[in-house]
Amino acid sequence: MTSPYTRGDSYSSEASRKHIQQALAAYGATDVVFSHRGNLSAVAFRGDGRQFRIVMPILQSEGALAIRGDIADSRLHEANARSLERANRKSWHALALAIDAKLGAAAAGIATLESEFLAHVVLPGNHTVLDELEPVIDSAYRSGRRPSFGRPDPSARTEESQVPADFPHLRSVPSPTARRGS
């Protein structure tokens, strides 16, 4: 059984945003901004010489319910609104926990801020690393071919970037199309 705290029910969305802002500020991040457009919310900040933007979908109702004065319709509308608010509270709480974990790893020296938030680094042109790499990764899985990421020869690596021979290697991941055929 989980308590309301672990499910994120006891925090309002605003309390989670405040927690995120305080955690980022405590780490030394600056220019923390929250925004909302359509069904997306975002938090953006600067830290360690980089800009970051995390975008999160927010659930919204499918539109205003036509309330015909019927008490059942009104109760249904209220129940739907409560469900949406609860789901969004959980999302904001989960984001706050994720950011806490990433900042904790960076503060402990286990990782860097950039490595923890790599997908959310804002590149010149205002796109994130994730925006740029998602289609490349999708294409690689569809084709079954390893992307080069701009390297002329993926096997031509410098000595310092080589993975040590005794480092555990993961087996290659089959493409989604190869899995469907099995």
Side-chain angles (χ1 to χ4, degrees):
M1 182 172 139
T2 59
S3 70
Y5 174 79
T6 58
R7 291 191 319 254
D9 291 350
S10 63
Y11 289 112
S12 69
S13 297
E14 183 58 35
S16 292
R17 284 189 293 272
K18 185 175 181 180
H19 177 86
I20 290 167
Q21 186 165 16
Q22 290 171 339
L24 288 167
Y27 181 84
T30 61
D31 302 326
V32 179
V33 176
F34 293 90
S35 63
H36 182 83
R37 184 177 302 149
N39 66 338
L40 299 175
S41 282
V43 57
F45 60 95
R46 293 179 190 270
D48 291 351
R50 300 282 188 253
Q51 294 178 40
F52 302 90
R53 181 177 57 238
I54 303 169
V55 178
M56 178 175 71
I58 296 295
L59 298 175
Q60 295 180 338
S61 69
E62 297 295 322
L65 291 174
I67 298 179
R68 298 179 298 264
D70 190 302
I71 292 175
D73 286 342
S74 176
R75 287 186 181 146
L76 178 63
H77 180 70
E78 289 172 15
N80 285 340
R82 281 192 307 273
S83 292
L84 284 172
E85 173 56 27
R86 183 175 183 201
N88 289 330
R89 278 195 323 260
K90 285 181 175 184
S91 293
W92 277 107
H93 183 68
L95 181 60
L97 291 174
I99 288 173
D100 276 346
K102 291 173 180 296
L103 293 174
I110 296 168
T112 64
L113 190 67
E114 186 173 37
S115 69
E116 283 298 308
F117 289 96
L118 184 60
H120 309 289
V121 172
V122 179
L123 301 168
N126 203 29
H127 289 103
T128 64
V129 169
L130 181 63
D131 295 337
E132 296 292 328
L133 288 182
E134 252 181 339
V136 173
I137 294 168
D138 184 51
S139 174
Y141 272 98
R142 280 188 278 113
S143 71
R145 298 187 66 201
R146 182 181 182 275
S148 68
F149 295 109
R151 284 193 181 139
D153 180 3
S155 63
R157 295 183 180 174
T158 63
E159 196 64 33
E160 62 211 30
S161 68
Q162 290 286 347
V163 175
D166 61 344
F167 195 79
H169 292 279
L170 299 175
R171 63 182 176 81
S172 62
V173 178
S175 73
T177 52
R179 280 188 234 154
R180 280 188 224 125
S182 54

